[in-house]
Amino acid sequence: MEALLGHSAQPAASGGHAGAPLPPPATLKMMANAIRALSMDAVQQANSGHPGMPMGMAEIAVALWSRHLKHNPADPHWADRDRFVLSNGHGSMLLYSVLHLTGYALPIDELRNFRQLHSMTPGHPEVGVTPGVETTTGPLGQGLANAVGMALAERLLAARFNRDGFPVVDHFTWAFAGDGCMMEGVSHEACSLAGTLKLSKLVVFYDDNGISIDGQVEHWFRDDTVRRFEAYGWHVIPDIDGHDVAALDRAIALAREWGERGRDGVFAPTLIQCRTMIGKGSPGRVNTAKAHGEPLGKDEIAATRAAIDWPYPPFEIPPEVRAAWDARERGARSESAWRAMFERYSEGHPSDAKEFERRMRGDLPAAYDEALDAAIEDATARAETIATRKASQNALNHFGPALPELIGGSADLTGSNLTDFKGAGALRVGGSFVPGRHVNFGVREFGMSAVLNGLALHGGFVPYGGTFLTFSDYARNAVRMAALMKQRVIFVYTHDSIGLGEDGPTHQPVEHAASLRLIPRLDVWRPCDPIESAVARGAAIARRDGPSALLFSRQAVPFVTRSARQVDAIGRGGYVLRDAEEAHAVILATGSEVSLALAARELLAADGIAVRIVSMPSTTVFDRQEASYRSHVLPDRLPRIAVEAGVTDGWWKYGCDAVVGLDTFGESAPAGVLARLFGFTAENVADTVREALRRRATRR
């Protein structure tokens, strides 16, 4: 490896200037110490935060951001910028320092307000809050998985849009990661997939400092990380001095060369192992766990200022250091050159240029409306009694061909989740890159979900991924992060109740629908038949301000006839499916239990008891409707009985008199046997309505 790193640095892409000589060592030292000073001062002022990582990775940031990163501080959303991910997001002050110093719209007062209410510098980086932040990080390992998704997006968009002489999609994804990221299982899931997919424009800097919150990691983490990544199929540049900017510069140049041209003909992501000292510069805290997550304290900060020869007051950066960091001019040149190329591309390939711009804006094509109408018309014409997972695939067969940005797959359950569509083609990387739109994620529910987030964050795609609903627990934190980041990601969950049957309680998700509904900004859909399935699919695709979870059945459910007005009302989350003059009660149900409610209605009608049936495919969407609509659907004067094959807690908020549900785990038996065992029969629902009416009458 020493021989490999001995060559001169390769020229960087237009955003960097690695072809020029490195600045003098004194300048590089000052640039790194500026990060150290800003980080320790901001953490101290907040009396909260993590100074150790920014102080330890300062030189790595100098080497990457000042020499190789293609970016323009004036335009953080430029389509062909490099993506940078701080997976070890607790070290957020490193990123905030660099964004401020390079010229992003992040004034020094925002660094002074680190971790304060409504500041642009929250405790962990948040996309949409701070210009230049590409993803929200903090839950360790997920940023690394997001970076895999971003690199995959770049690879797929390049295959679709690049033409000879016009590399309109040509950028790297860079990620910083620490020991905590490597310990989290999601890093294994995502990095294994990245190696398989040969995402060569992904470069990860491993901050190998051997310290975590509990102390020296050798007592609980002795993985040979280099060999681990080599086993994934990555290229690895080991044992780089993380405080030697010149050595880092050569390693980055080599990683760029491998990313663009391959290493001995092999394309793969690259891991750069950086040996660092956490809290470097702090005489009393260097290489200690105390540097990880505690302010240094006034005395130690004074000692650090003396040790690094930084005589300036807190938050003061000397002009020569600001000038050395300033990336605005070269960033503007880089973007200007790209835009000039894109203009020429537009002249020669006008339809491709328009399509690229549309997809990067996130606008859906006109064909979306046609696909939605076709999916509904097809479901109506079929009028089939089928599982909603199959109804979902039928709808996907309309949306997929119409929306080239739609990409997804399954965590090794394609034949069960039915997440492929006609003409999708499988993504394959063998002798050549086959840019299919169906991704086999393998048994990696968490990794898949975090990769989907990265695809969405990059732009140009509407990603989705499937697994069994019970395994949403494996992926839950990535689902939560999608909601926190307001990303358009679609999580497809099938086998959504005890209707799964013989697989038993390990696979019967009695609590999962209710649990997912608790996540803010996550729209949860549990459709009852093919029409609702098509509308739910369409709503998830169209939604731009957050993710959706689509819950589909394994067992067949009856087709339900509706008026055109009722079809339109599905998108409101809940609506009157069957009404009655002088209704005595309301039965509200979701998913496969809607047909149960309809059957109970017939039994009650035979006794002269008229009921209204409300189908509520999405409680989360229904709850956002105006109060007048909600009270129209669920009149206060009528008793309400909810029916869902899951835990009951979430239904009481609707003022229910009773809930037919399941507050225990399931059993291993055929679905019909389980339905009778747990009371999911038309007779029991009808009896529950009768009892609710009796109690009301008694109270009068």
Side-chain angles (χ1 to χ4, degrees), residues 498-510:
I498 59 168
L500 172 60
E502 292 87 346
D503 275 348
T506 61
H507 284 54
Q508 293 168 6
V510 296

Side-chain angles (χ1 to χ4, degrees), residues 179-262:
D179 286 313
C181 296
M182 298 303 177
M183 284 186 250
E184 289 286 359
V186 68
S187 71
H188 162 69
E189 295 183 24
C191 293
S192 172
L193 181 64
T196 301
L197 297 180
K198 302 181 181 180
L199 300 177
S200 63
K201 288 189 177 178
L202 171 63
V203 180
V204 174
F205 297 82
Y206 169 33
D207 179 30
D208 188 2
N209 61 49
I211 299 290
S212 67
I213 291 176
D214 279 354
Q216 295 181 351
V217 301
E218 64 181 1
H219 301 297
W220 49 85
F221 181 60
R222 293 193 179 186
D223 295 17
D224 188 330
T225 304
V226 166
R227 290 188 179 180
R228 169 183 161 188
F229 275 77
E230 288 175 343
Y232 293 152
W234 287 50
H235 300 321
V236 178
I237 303 175
D239 291 318
I240 300 299
D241 183 345
H243 304 298
D244 184 338
V245 176
L248 289 161
D249 181 63
R250 293 192 295 272
I252 296 169
L254 185 59
R256 290 187 59 88
E257 181 181 338
W258 288 349
E260 293 167 349
R261 302 181 183 89

Side-chain angles (χ1 to χ4, degrees), residues 510 513-514 517 526 573 587-591 593-594 614-620 622-623 634 640-663:
V510 296
R517 290 173 184 139
R526 189 168 179 251
I587 303 176
L588 56 153
T590 185
E593 287 69 64
V594 170
V614 170
S615 178
M616 198 172 287
S618 178
T619 63
T620 50
F622 179 77
D623 291 348
L634 299 174
R640 303 172 187 177
I641 295 85
V643 187
E644 185 174 53
V647 295
T648 62
D649 280 359
W651 292 102
W652 297 108
K653 67 180 179 180
Y654 296 113
C656 292
D657 291 59
V659 179
V660 178
L662 185 67
D663 289 317

Side-chain angles (χ1 to χ4, degrees), residues 191-486:
C191 293
S192 172
L193 181 64
T196 301
L197 297 180
K198 302 181 181 180
L199 300 177
S200 63
K201 288 189 177 178
L202 171 63
V203 180
V204 174
F205 297 82
Y206 169 33
D207 179 30
D208 188 2
N209 61 49
I211 299 290
S212 67
I213 291 176
D214 279 354
Q216 295 181 351
V217 301
E218 64 181 1
H219 301 297
W220 49 85
F221 181 60
R222 293 193 179 186
D223 295 17
D224 188 330
T225 304
V226 166
R227 290 188 179 180
R228 169 183 161 188
F229 275 77
E230 288 175 343
Y232 293 152
W234 287 50
H235 300 321
V236 178
I237 303 175
D239 291 318
I240 300 299
D241 183 345
H243 304 298
D244 184 338
V245 176
L248 289 161
D249 181 63
R250 293 192 295 272
I252 296 169
L254 185 59
R256 290 187 59 88
E257 181 181 338
W258 288 349
E260 293 167 349
R261 302 181 183 89
R263 177 185 182 186
D264 299 327
V266 176
F267 287 87
T270 297
L271 178 79
I272 303 177
Q273 181 194 30
C274 304
R275 303 287 192 180
T276 65
M277 294 182 285
I278 193 170
K280 181 173 171 58
S282 168
R285 297 288 181 89
V286 66
N287 282 335
T288 68
K290 282 188 171 294
H292 187 286
E294 300 177 12
L296 297 185
K298 293 182 179 179
D299 291 344
E300 186 61 25
I301 284 179
T304 302
R305 275 187 154 75
I308 66 175
D309 192 21
W310 191 265
Y312 312 102
F315 302 104
E316 181 177 315
I317 304 296
E320 63 272 21
V321 176
R322 286 195 175 279
W325 268 112
D326 194 341
R328 289 173 292 183
E329 182 179 342
R330 67 177 179 272
R333 287 198 306 269
S334 180
E335 183 175 354
S336 179
W338 181 85
R339 292 196 178 280
M341 177 185 63
F342 194 81
E343 285 186 14
R344 298 191 300 273
Y345 177 81
S346 300
E347 293 170 0
H349 308 279
S351 61
D352 286 339
K354 289 179 181 179
E355 176 71 357
F356 177 76
E357 291 177 320
R358 178 192 71 78
R359 286 179 59 172
M360 294 307 293
R361 286 194 308 269
D363 296 339
L364 294 178
Y368 164 79
D369 291 326
E370 298 170 6
L372 177 58
D373 290 343
I376 294 172
E377 290 170 5
D378 181 34
T380 303
R382 292 172 184 261
E384 294 176 301
T385 294
I386 56 173
T388 54
R389 60 172 173 160
K390 180 58 180 174
S392 164
Q393 186 181 50
N394 289 343
L396 190 58
N397 281 329
H398 293 281
F399 288 116
L403 305 175
E405 58 265 57
L406 203 59
I407 184 171
S410 172
D412 203 50
L413 290 168
T414 301
S416 295
N417 301 149
L418 303 181
T419 50
D420 55 345
F421 59 88
K422 294 176 181 177
L427 174 64
R428 292 290 182 264
V429 181
S432 61
F433 184 79
V434 181
R437 292 165 58 198
H438 179 80
V439 183
N440 297 99
F441 286 100
V443 187
R444 302 181 177 105
E445 294 87 359
F446 192 1
M448 173 185 71
S449 302
V451 168
L452 295 176
N453 290 346
L455 280 160
L457 287 158
H458 180 280
F461 292 97
V462 177
Y464 66 89
T467 186
F468 289 173
L469 178 56
T470 191
F471 301 141
S472 65
D473 277 345
Y474 282 144
R476 185 179 179 85
N477 202 263
V479 177
R480 180 179 185 271
M481 293 302 292
L484 182 63
M485 296 187 288
K486 304 179 183 178

